[in-house]
Amino acid sequence: MDTLRSHCGGRWVDGKGALETLLNPATEEALARVSSEGVDRAAALDYARRTGGPALRALSFAERGVLLAAMSERIQAHRDEILELAVANGGNTRSDAKFDVDGATFTLSAYAELGRGLGDARILADGEGVTLGRSPRFHGQHVSVPRHGAAVHINAFNFPAWGFAEKAAAALLAGMPVLSKPASSSALVAHRIMEILVDAAVLPPGALSLLVGSAGDLLRHLGPQDVVAFTGSGDTGALIRAMPELVRDSVRVNVEADSLNAAVLGPDAGPGSETYELFLKDVVRDMTQKAGQKCTAIRRILAPAGVADRVRDDVVDRLSAVTVGNPASEGVRMGPVATAAQLEDVRAGIEALARDGRLVFGRTALPVGVPEGKGFFVGPVLIEVEPGAEGATVHSREVFGPVATVVPYSGDAADAVEIVARGRGGLVSSVYSDDVAFTTEAALGLAPYHGRLFLGSARIAEQSPGPGTVLPTLVHGGPGRAGGGEELGGARGLALYRQRLALEGSRPVVERIAGLKA
Ligand code: NAP
């Protein structure tokens, strides 16, 4: 069995000591082993800062964009092999795996294109210059430059390709070297991508490092020019944010965490309408894609009380048609959750949700194509609650699996907003309505609690990938429970890795430094 190695300090490094075994979550077959014990994290960071940083900063945005395009092209060239690994190690159906891997290449390409647009610049002017004195000679201008540290990326288990790529794309284009740490349980995909990129030598030495296995003391070695971008549970995010070493040096920390995303059905979008169909399709896709292990998945289904029963029945109808099993088997539409621990957590979460409501759908059929008793399977589960009596759990516990709750509301936008806001901040919520007044009131009410709002209507139904898809051109992140972070959003995503500063002085000097005049 292979033992995955880290790529730190410009070479492959074996981990020592206790090895963790990576499994196929459908069959529990052992796939590889991993350990990061003994990897010198301080030296790895030092190499990234001293070697990768200067090499990237010597390049223009356009040149860094070319590197991202090459990364995307290499990953695409090995697409089938990576998809197979995602099916085996992630419990992904092929369609789930494509969502992850194609999302990675697409995001790298989008940032490559952004780099091309930013051209020969190395410094970015931020907004217009301002006159500071009596005459225009005394001038101010905001600019941004790459930070001189390393960008440490800690990723969750559910998107080993996209999570790796979306963070790396923004950091590398911004001019910062990256040390990426995938979640251990699904590290095969990120590890293989790293092998492909190293073999093709697409990046300058030190621009990208990979640490597989546990983070260990990695974050203790960070300093004031470094950045941490973390994606995972709120608990781990809170732990990292409070680390004294990070607090002391004001290390920049971006957290992408849990979310109790809601889908609000407007009272006008009744059964039979195109918008109702879009709503149903998005709810069922989010519950079953990647077995519900998507940070953006719909967890709370808000339906006007008069149609809540119909919504419940229609969702149950569609869930009944979902074949659960080994994603490598023909016809399977939903695989297992990623690990035994994840399964335990999802089961406990379902019990907690059901205590506050009623379990209306839960599959008991045996998974297809799986040795008896094997695999971390949980079928889709739908819970419903009484109008106005949903209890606290549905608004406080993110069950990271194929689970959602129908929450009836009055049909007033203000009531929907009040209920959704009990989730204390989310990544994305959606409003399904063709009534512009309802959508506007709901959107303005929901806006302070979210990083993104998806406004579903008949006008966009045909083109929409749904709220669960994160696009590189739009920001990803959210306030409160969602971690308070922000990634992507086109050029906005570079800000995390760059130092913004104000220059004030004589106008020709300021404009020359800002790259606005030759
Ligand atoms: P997790 O247990 O918090 O782990 C996330 C990552 O943090 C893993 O790479 C893990 O490494 C690492 N880690 C754990 N403890 C650490 C520590 N003390 N110091 C540094 N790193 C540490 O979360 P998960 O179970 O993998 O992911 C599921 C959660 O992620 C869900 O709650 C989901 O909502 C959230 N998520 C959010 C987003 C988003 O964009 N907002 C996206 C995807 C997932 P090991 O694997 O080696 O333990």
Side-chain angles (χ1 to χ4, degrees):
M1 195 187 342
D2 284 350
T3 300
L4 306 187
R5 292 178 299 168
S6 294
H7 195 273
C8 291
R11 63 196 176 85
W12 290 105
V13 190
D14 289 312
K16 301 186 188 73
L19 297 170
E20 192 180 325
T21 303
L22 276 58
L23 302 177
N24 177 324
T27 61
E28 299 183 42
E29 172 202 353
L31 299 173
R33 291 183 305 184
V34 66
S35 165
S36 61
E37 219 178 294
V39 177
D40 186 341
R41 283 119 167 121
L45 289 165
D46 200 46
Y47 181 76
R49 291 183 199 111
R50 285 173 187 273
T51 311
L56 287 167
R57 293 196 296 273
L59 303 176
S60 67
F61 281 104
E63 289 165 332
R64 295 196 287 257
V66 170
L67 300 181
L68 299 184
M71 287 171 76
S72 178
E73 186 271 319
R74 282 294 82 207
I75 296 171
Q76 179 64 24
H78 290 263
R79 179 173 182 260
D80 280 338
E81 179 198 347
I82 301 170
L83 291 178
E84 268 173 42
L85 282 179
V87 170
N89 187 204
N92 291 189
T93 62
R94 199 173 158 83
S95 155
D96 293 341
K98 283 186 203 163
F99 190 57
D100 184 26
V101 177
D102 294 345
T105 49
F106 180 63
T107 305
L108 284 163
S109 298
Y111 272 85
E113 190 56 31
L114 179 64
R116 207 169 66 84
L118 292 171
D120 293 338
R122 284 178 178 73
I123 188 163
L124 277 183
D126 178 335
E128 298 289 313
V130 282
T131 298
L132 301 172
R134 281 189 309 278
S135 81
R137 205 181 314 148
F138 186 28
H139 187 73
Q141 172 71 51
H142 289 96
V143 297
S144 77
V145 296
R147 294 190 135 211
H148 279 204
V152 171
H153 293 167
I154 299 183
N155 283 310
F157 68 81
N158 55 341
F159 283 101
W162 175 80
F164 163 88
E166 58 99 14
K167 284 184 168 57
L172 293 171
L173 186 62
M176 271 193 96
V178 169
L179 188 154
S180 189
K181 193 210 100 57
S184 296
S185 62
S186 62
L188 262 175
V189 166
H191 183 265
R192 183 65 194 123
I193 289 176
M194 188 69 188
E195 279 183 341
I196 290 162
L197 298 178
V198 169
D199 288 350
V202 290
L203 292 169
L208 182 63
S209 309
L210 184 81
L211 178 71
V212 289
S214 102
D217 65 356
L218 174 68
L219 301 181
R220 299 221 168 88
H221 301 293
L222 297 184
Q225 286 286 311
D226 298 320
V227 173
V228 180
F230 166 81
T231 295
S233 65
D235 288 347
T236 312
L239 201 94
I240 290 174
R241 209 198 289 281
M243 283 179 67
E245 294 87 348
L246 303 190
V247 173
R248 185 188 57 219
D249 273 339
S250 309
V251 175
R252 214 176 255 182
V253 179
N254 192 75
V255 174
E256 299 289 347
D258 319 345
S259 191
L260 291 160
N261 315 298
V264 179
L265 180 68
D268 62 292
S273 69
E274 201 175 346
T275 304
Y276 181 81
E277 288 302 313
L278 176 68
F279 161 80
L280 274 187
K281 187 169 90 178
D282 288 350
V283 165
V284 174
R285 184 205 290 116
D286 271 12
M287 287 182 70
T288 53
Q289 190 173 43
K290 283 191 154 268
Q293 299 166 111
K294 259 182 1 187
C295 55
T296 50
I298 295 165
R299 307 285 176 203
R300 299 177 291 166
I301 306 164
L302 269 72
V307 292
D309 287 358
R310 172 70 188 268
V311 166
R312 175 201 62 207
D313 294 346
D314 286 345
V315 172
V316 166
D317 214 38
R318 292 183 183 215
L319 292 178
S320 313
V322 174
T323 307
V324 178
N326 185 342
S329 301
E330 198 65 31
V332 165
R333 263 189 57 202
M334 195 180 100
V337 295
T339 60
Q342 191 59 29
L343 178 63
E344 204 178 308
D345 196 55
V346 171
R347 284 186 175 149
I350 293 168
E351 270 183 38
L353 285 174
R355 272 197 294 275
D356 280 353
R358 196 167 73 87
L359 193 141
V360 289
F361 183 78
R363 281 284 290 260
T364 48
L366 285 177
V368 171
V370 178
E372 204 179 325
K374 291 288 183 192
F376 312 131
F377 288 98
V378 54
V381 167
L382 189 71
I383 307 223
E384 72 173 355
V385 295
E386 290 295 317
E390 70 265 25
T393 317
V394 66
H395 303 304
S396 62
R397 183 154 181 169
E398 182 207 44
V399 182
F400 208 56
V403 184
T405 303
V406 178
V407 180
Y409 79 104
S410 67
D412 286 348
D415 288 341
V417 168
E418 193 275 320
I419 293 171
V420 175
R422 289 185 215 160
R424 301 177 59 229
L427 295 171
V428 56
S429 279
S430 39
V431 180
Y432 294 83
S433 172
D434 295 297
D435 175 344
V436 177
F438 179 88
T439 302
T440 305
E441 188 184 349
L444 291 176
L446 294 171
Y449 304 98
H450 293 87
R452 180 160 60 91
L453 290 176
F454 174 86
L455 310 174
S457 68
R459 292 179 77 94
I460 62 150
E462 214 185 304
Q463 301 175 38
S464 161
T469 298
V470 175
L471 298 168
T473 41
L474 300 182
V475 292
H476 173 60
R481 172 191 302 279
E486 188 178 290
E487 293 183 328
L488 300 174
R492 292 171 189 83
L494 307 185
L496 180 63
Y497 304 102
R498 296 177 66 84
Q499 181 61 38
R500 180 165 57 195
L501 68 150
L503 295 172
E504 57 178 319
S506 118
R507 183 168 186 165
V509 174
V510 166
E511 289 188 336
R512 190 189 144 100
I513 295 171
L516 297 169
K517 290 273 158 62

